Amino acid sequence: IMEDKFYSLEEISKWQLSENNNIKLPALQRSFVWKPYQIETIWDSILRGFPIGSFLLSNSNNEDLFLLDGQQRATSIALGFYNPWENDAYFFDKNIEKNTPTVWIDLYPNEVTTTHKYVIRVLTKSHPWGYRRKNNNAILGLNDRRNALKKFKEINNKVDKYTDFKNIDVFPWDADLPVPLAFVLDFVFNKIDKNNFIEKCNNLNFIKHNTTRKEKLNNFVISNNFDEFINNIKTRIEDYTIPSIITKKEILSESDESENNHSTDPTLFVRLNREGTRLEGEELIYSIYKSEFPESKDLIENISANFIRPSLLISLFSRIAWSKVNDNQYPRKFSVNDFRKRLYENIEFKNYLKNAIESNDENSFKNIFNNALKIFTSDNKVKFPLILVKSMINNMPELFLGLLFWLSTNSNNLKDFDYFTIKKRFFLINLFCINTSEFVHEIWSDLSKSNFWTDENFKIYERESNFIFPFITLENIKSELNRFIENDKLYWNDFYPVNENLSSYFNGVLDNKNINELEKEQIYRNYWDKLFNAIAWDRNVLIFVQRDYFENNFSEFNSLDVIADTNRPWDWDHIYPASWVYYKKNVDRQIRDFHNFNCNFRAMSLEENRSESNYLSPSERFEGDDKKNDYFIKDNDWNFWQKVNDRINNDTQKKSDLMNAFVIRFYNFFEEIYKSFHINP
């Protein structure tokens, strides 16, 4: 049994930067999940000599040690030492090897934050220019990103999309004199001298292409300021060590007899992560699965193909397996204890799950998942961009569970089904179902029917389910939306037709139900709210109406966090500028209501040659632009956008022009969806 020990920073970095090391991750550990600002903060702490806690290691049956607690810190330390210009790395998380972040330090910053002494910048695939210096969990402003992109392309003009830049070609934009932290650490630990340091830095793209910056760097490195900077760091980290507690290997084994002494106990990992980025829910279930079937970890991650989190995928697969061994009953979402109990006590469930994941026959989970993707990515009548597919799968996993279960029964005859009908229904349920989880539960027994997705079948659900409602006509939608133009005191929260119209609009589907009039009114209002709020707010609407633009510009964008503001290569661009509404007094209430609706947004690639001003009027924003169709700007709404050339205060006519632009584009979204999916109420 090894005794507790202290590890130096260099030793910790070699756990992942050296191919030959004896520190391993147990199967229960999750992937690297820290955000850039967390990496920056921990390196600021280290360089200031602050303690960052201890590691917990476990003995194994050989010379290896398992890292039970401290993976996020250990990986952050390794990233600081990582030098992609010269070395390969062997990170615990293989996804990092594909898109490895780089860590930089500003040698001579003009300003620092109130909480950090050192300006550390972490660059990622999604943000190759880094985050803001003063607020390191906020993205750079639009102008800075555009300027950085322009400079990166000057350095490497062969790259079309910024997400294709290599980490050796980019640099932190919001920094004064940045160099890779690895270079500084090499100098601190006497691996290179000052001449080597200068030579390494001068070979960086952003320095060798800039004479002024090169001169500034060279002058600084030979100055006393640099010596003082290095000495301050060296004093604090040269002998910096992190304590590690090494425990017996039995801590990883389940010892509770009530659990039949099976596999690794996840309780330890839940408690260890209580103060950090917690390991819970589906992540913990996935960790338990990996512990039981370590050989299928790569299978799951390959199946997910970056369309869905592996932890969510194993959660869905497990529920399907449970349903299959329980007479196709609806499988409620598992708690961690539910999963453990079923995995360890129900051999039929365990074998079904294992075989369905590891086999390659028609009904294997791999083929079922691939069939789902085949449906979504087909060209049949309407082509979904990949970003929309990912968004729908991850936003509505319960509905995706239903599709996977249906495919588990019908995959053999998939060629007989109309992909368009399935795509259509999946998209419409995503947008307009009142409660998707309850709806899937309600219709679970019907999912074995081959005709489940057909319009004829959903006509039945419109009559019998309170979760699916009939569409109202485009004529009625237009007449109701026009009320905002006719009545300048009509506001969104009051936007309901009279009760009689509500009933007739939805074909009186509740008339024969044994519920009182007040309940009927509330249900109809719920239908109304869902119909209009989905078009107003759900960004999938914008992705759909701009689907050709997304397909042409982002077909290769491969990120699970496709909706996160910090992780996408496009902007949601206000047409009527945000600067004319936010923190402004006397903004008309109708304009304030509509300002953040989809009808005032367009998705726009960062690659576009745009004006640098966020204050441009709608008329200026599209002036001379021959790509209005890309942004789903049609002639009927453009007729009004082009009249809006200034901020609107009390000008009645200009307000009328803007509201017409809002309302017409709002209606155009409905019309595009109705026509694309052949909706004919």
Side-chain angles (χ1 to χ4, degrees):
I1 297 176
M2 295 184 63
E3 296 181 353
D4 299 346
K5 64 176 295 185
F6 288 78
Y7 287 97
S8 70
L9 293 172
E10 285 187 285
E11 287 175 319
I12 295 165
S13 72
K14 289 177 182 177
W15 294 352
Q16 296 176 79
L17 299 183
S18 172
E19 190 171 12
N20 300 312
N21 68 82
N22 71 324
I23 306 296
K24 310 293 183 183
L25 281 187
L28 270 176
Q29 278 284 29
R30 106 273 306 282
S31 301
F32 183 67
V33 296
W34 267 18
K35 302 293 189 291
Y37 75 89
Q38 293 173 292
I39 303 171
E40 293 175 6
T41 297
I42 200 169
W43 266 108
D44 179 71
S45 296
I46 291 170
L47 296 180
R48 296 167 76 172
F50 294 172
I52 61 168
S54 61
F55 293 119
L56 179 63
L57 300 166
S58 163
N59 284 291
S60 68
N61 292 325
N62 51 40
E63 296 298 317
D64 292 339
L65 293 173
F66 284 124
L67 178 59
L68 304 186
D69 186 37
Q71 182 208 163
Q72 310 300 321
R73 285 168 288 151
T75 301
S76 298
I77 290 170
L79 288 170
F81 281 86
Y82 174 56
N83 180 352
W85 292 268
E86 298 176 9
N87 305 119
D88 294 324
Y90 307 91
F91 288 98
F92 293 140
D93 184 353
K94 298 308 176 187
N95 288 325
I96 297 181
E97 292 181 16
K98 301 174 186 175
N99 302 300
T100 315
T102 53
V103 184
W104 297 62
I105 184 169
D106 199 334
L107 296 179
Y108 198 54
N110 288 327
E111 59 180 353
V112 297
T113 69
T114 56
T115 57
H116 290 66
K117 178 177 180 178
Y118 294 96
V119 177
I120 309 293
R121 318 300 313 132
V122 173
L123 309 186
T124 64
K125 194 76 168 177
S126 299
H127 285 267
W129 35 65
Y131 292 73
R132 297 190 184 191
R133 169 166 46 195
K134 297 284 284 185
N135 181 8
N136 65 348
N137 63 355
I139 64 176
L140 280 187
L142 187 58
N143 290 347
D144 281 337
R145 282 180 279 153
R146 288 198 194 106
N147 291 333
L149 185 60
K150 181 180 178 182
K151 179 59 67 175
F152 293 170
K153 285 196 168 184
E154 288 176 4
I155 293 172
N156 188 346
N157 57 19
K158 295 180 180 179
V159 174
D160 293 325
K161 297 182 174 64
Y162 85 84
T163 49
D164 293 334
F165 281 108
K166 296 179 180 179
N167 55 12
I168 60 174
D169 292 330
V170 296
F171 51 89
W173 192 254
D174 191 6
D176 297 302
L177 195 59
V179 298
L181 180 58
F183 293 5
V184 171
L185 294 175
D186 279 349
F187 187 72
V188 166
F189 289 109
N190 302 315
K191 294 182 177 180
I192 57 175
D193 59 22
K194 190 171 287 190
N195 289 331
N196 296 140
F197 180 82
I198 292 175
E199 182 182 359
K200 280 174 173 281
C201 293
N202 285 341
N203 283 328
L204 297 171
N205 280 331
F206 85 108
I207 289 181
K208 69 183 181 183
H209 290 282
N210 187 315
T211 304
T212 302
R213 185 176 282 121
K214 185 173 183 177
E215 183 178 349
K216 181 180 179 181
L217 173 78
N218 292 346
N219 289 338
F220 177 75
V221 173
I222 62 175
S223 71
N224 291 333
N225 287 334
F226 178 74
D227 293 337
E228 182 181 354
F229 178 86
I230 292 296
N231 286 335
N232 283 336
I233 292 176
K234 192 167 188 174
T235 300
R236 295 186 178 98
I237 73 169
E238 194 171 29
D239 297 319
Y240 188 99
T241 57
I242 299 176
S244 298
I245 302 168
I246 302 179
T247 186
K248 297 178 181 179
K249 65 179 181 293
E250 286 76 15
I251 194 173
L252 283 176
S253 299
E254 177 63 71
S255 58
D256 185 350
E257 291 183 4
S258 66
E259 297 292 345
N260 297 326
N261 293 315
H262 282 292
S263 194
T264 304
D265 184 0
T267 307
L268 171 67
F269 291 86
V270 175
R271 293 179 181 174
L272 288 175
N273 284 278
R274 197 169 298 282
E275 299 302 323
T277 307
R278 294 184 62 181
L279 180 70
E280 55 187 351
E282 68 183 34
E283 285 186 346
L284 186 50
I285 286 174
Y286 183 42
S287 292
I288 296 170
Y289 176 84
K290 289 187 292 183
S291 174
E292 189 67 25
F293 308 114
E295 67 279 3
S296 66
K297 172 181 179 292
D298 289 342
L299 289 174
I300 287 292
E301 293 178 0
N302 288 334
I303 291 172
S304 70
N306 268 345
F307 275 88
I308 186 172
R309 299 184 307 277
S311 56
L312 175 55
L313 189 60
I314 199 65
S315 174
L316 300 181
F317 283 170
S318 300
R319 293 172 66 189
I320 293 173
W322 183 250
S323 181
K324 289 293 186 179
V325 300
N326 282 276
D327 299 322
N328 291 334
Q329 295 181 43
Y330 173 73
R332 291 193 177 275
K333 191 172 182 179
F334 293 168
S335 69
V336 173
N337 286 336
D338 287 339
F339 181 75
R340 292 175 64 201
K341 185 175 181 180
R342 290 167 182 175
L343 188 67
Y344 300 145
E345 296 182 4
N346 190 312
I347 191 64
E348 187 181 7
F349 166 72
K350 180 178 180 178
N351 288 341
Y352 189 100
L353 180 61
K354 182 177 188 296
N355 293 335
I357 289 174
E358 295 182 0
S359 70
N360 199 32
D361 61 30
E362 281 297 318
N363 290 317
S364 70
F365 285 149
K366 174 184 177 181
N367 284 328
I368 290 170
F369 183 83
N370 287 339
N371 282 334
L373 294 188
K374 187 186 300 182
I375 292 169
F376 287 139
T377 57
S378 71
D379 292 335
N380 193 318
K381 296 182 183 177
V382 172
K383 183 172 177 57
F384 289 158
L386 294 183
I387 288 167
L388 180 58
V389 175
K390 294 178 186 180
S391 177
M392 291 193 300
I393 288 174
N394 288 279
N395 285 357
M396 292 291 180
E398 199 73 11
L399 182 58
F400 190 56
L401 171 73
L403 175 60
L404 293 177
F405 185 75
W406 180 82
L407 285 168
S408 72
T409 303
N410 294 284
S411 276
N412 292 334
N413 302 314
L414 192 59
K415 62 181 180 298
D416 298 331
F417 298 110
D418 182 0
Y419 288 4
F420 170 72
T421 299
I422 302 173
K423 287 194 297 183
K424 164 187 175 177
R425 194 52 60 186
F426 197 94
F427 178 81
L428 295 178
I429 296 174
N430 249 285
L431 277 186
F432 300 120
C433 184
I434 297 293
N435 185 318
T436 306
S437 294
E438 289 302 316
F439 175 67
V440 172
H441 184 189
E442 180 181 274
I443 53 82
W444 189 261
S445 60
D446 293 347
L447 283 167
S448 59
K449 300 175 181 176
S450 61
N451 71 337
F452 172 78
W453 301 97
T454 62
D455 290 345
E456 293 76 17
N457 190 47
F458 273 80
K459 289 292 183 184
I460 298 173
Y461 295 138
E462 290 170 8
R463 294 193 301 270
E464 298 180 355
S465 172
N466 286 337
F467 303 118
I468 298 293
F469 53 84
F471 288 97
I472 71 177
T473 66
L474 285 172
E475 291 75 16
N476 290 330
I477 289 171
K478 179 181 286 189
S479 65
E480 290 292 341
L481 285 173
N482 281 339
R483 291 167 52 209
F484 286 105
I485 299 169
E486 298 160 358
N487 180 0
D488 65 358
K489 300 302 180 186
L490 175 63
Y491 307 124
W492 189 253
N493 288 341
D494 304 320
F495 179 47
Y496 292 101
V498 297
N499 292 343
E500 293 79 6
N501 283 349
L502 266 173
S503 175
S504 63
Y505 285 167
F506 292 109
N507 297 331
V509 294
L510 303 179
D511 289 351
N512 296 324
K513 294 196 175 184
N514 188 24
I515 51 178
N516 63 46
E517 292 304 314
L518 286 178
E519 288 178 300
K520 285 182 183 179
E521 179 186 345
Q522 186 55 55
I523 293 173
Y524 280 133
R525 282 180 169 242
N526 290 341
Y527 291 170
W528 181 269
D529 285 341
K530 188 62 178 178
L531 182 68
F532 282 90
N533 281 321
I535 300 297
W537 296 105
D538 194 321
R539 289 290 189 261
N540 282 342
V541 170
L542 275 176
I543 297 175
F544 178 74
V545 298
Q546 289 189 243
R547 57 193 178 277
D548 291 339
Y549 181 73
F550 273 89
E551 184 66 20
N552 292 334
N553 287 273
F554 314 116
S555 60
E556 297 178 1
F557 180 59
N558 210 21
S559 169
L560 285 178
D561 301 319
V562 293
I563 306 304
D565 287 343
T566 59
N567 198 25
R568 49 174 166 75
W570 69 87
D571 284 318
W572 297 117
D573 182 50
H574 282 90
I575 301 175
Y576 184 81
S579 57
W580 291 357
V581 175
Y582 293 153
Y583 308 113
K584 300 293 184 183
K585 296 181 180 179
N586 304 319
V587 175
D588 181 271
R589 185 173 165 185
Q590 276 190 331
I591 294 176
R592 196 179 290 278
D593 278 352
F594 275 75
H595 174 254
N596 276 327
F597 288 170
N598 282 330
C599 59
N600 192 41
F601 280 99
R602 58 173 173 168
M604 173 169 261
S605 168
L606 290 175
E607 313 295 333
E608 299 289 345
N609 182 19
R610 297 174 51 185
S611 165
E612 295 184 0
S613 174
N614 288 324
Y615 295 86
L616 289 181
S617 68
S619 61
E620 296 171 304
R621 204 165 288 259
F622 295 105
E623 188 175 15
D625 195 335
D626 59 355
K627 298 180 66 178
K628 295 185 187 70
N629 285 339
D630 284 348
Y631 312 130
F632 199 74
I633 303 295
K634 293 184 172 292
D635 289 342
N636 57 355
D637 57 311
W638 171 237
N639 289 336
F640 291 97
W641 289 120
Q642 64 183 331
K643 297 177 183 179
V644 182
N645 52 26
D646 203 353
R647 179 170 176 252
I648 296 170
N649 292 313
N650 299 313
D651 190 310
T652 303
Q653 181 56 52
K654 286 186 176 180
K655 186 209 165 177
S656 176
D657 290 334
L658 180 60
M659 288 307 300
N660 267 284
F662 283 153
V663 165
I664 291 172
R665 192 159 186 258
F666 201 128
Y667 170 78
N668 287 344
F669 292 152
F670 273 110
E671 185 178 58
E672 180 67 17
I673 290 171
Y674 272 47
K675 289 184 176 179
S676 297
F677 293 114
H678 306 162
I679 299 171
N680 186 24

